[in-house]
Amino acid sequence: MDWKIFFTIFASVFVAELGDKTQLATMLFATDKAVSKYTVFLAASAALIVASAIGVLAGSLLSGYINEKYLHYIAGVGFIAIGAFTLYNA
């Protein structure tokens, strides 16, 4: 395993997930005293694993049809568009 790539991906996803709607929803579920905190943790973790698996699968499938260089451009434009949209609505 390439640990440099592992930690780069970990840090990127970790920072992207901090304070997002997913984390806020998980905190909301955890405030319910009738719900086990382990259940909240396991369910939220499973959801993130499945969502990540879908992303990996989609990226693998797309890379078979689209050049990796263009995928990077598409991802970059997508992030810029999301950022611009967020700034516009702020």
Side-chain angles (χ1 to χ4, degrees):
M1 179 184 301
D2 187 341
W3 289 103
K4 182 179 178 184
I5 292 175
F6 176 88
F7 287 116
T8 300
I9 295 168
F10 176 87
S12 298
V13 173
F14 181 77
V15 170
E17 291 296 326
L18 282 178
D20 75 344
K21 294 178 285 195
T22 305
Q23 187 179 29
L24 297 175
T26 303
M27 285 191 295
L28 180 63
F29 287 121
T31 62
D32 188 346
K33 293 188 187 325
V35 176
S36 165
K37 305 314 175 238
Y38 295 113
T39 301
V40 173
F41 174 76
L42 290 175
S45 297
L48 289 172
I49 289 169
V50 170
S52 296
I54 291 170
V56 170
L57 180 63
S60 295
L61 291 173
L62 285 174
S63 69
Y65 298 101
I66 302 173
N67 185 323
E68 183 180 349
K69 180 180 175 182
Y70 298 124
L71 286 174
H72 283 269
Y73 288 142
I74 292 167
V77 169
F79 278 115
I80 291 169
I82 291 169
F85 179 76
T86 301
L87 287 174
Y88 178 77
N89 287 324

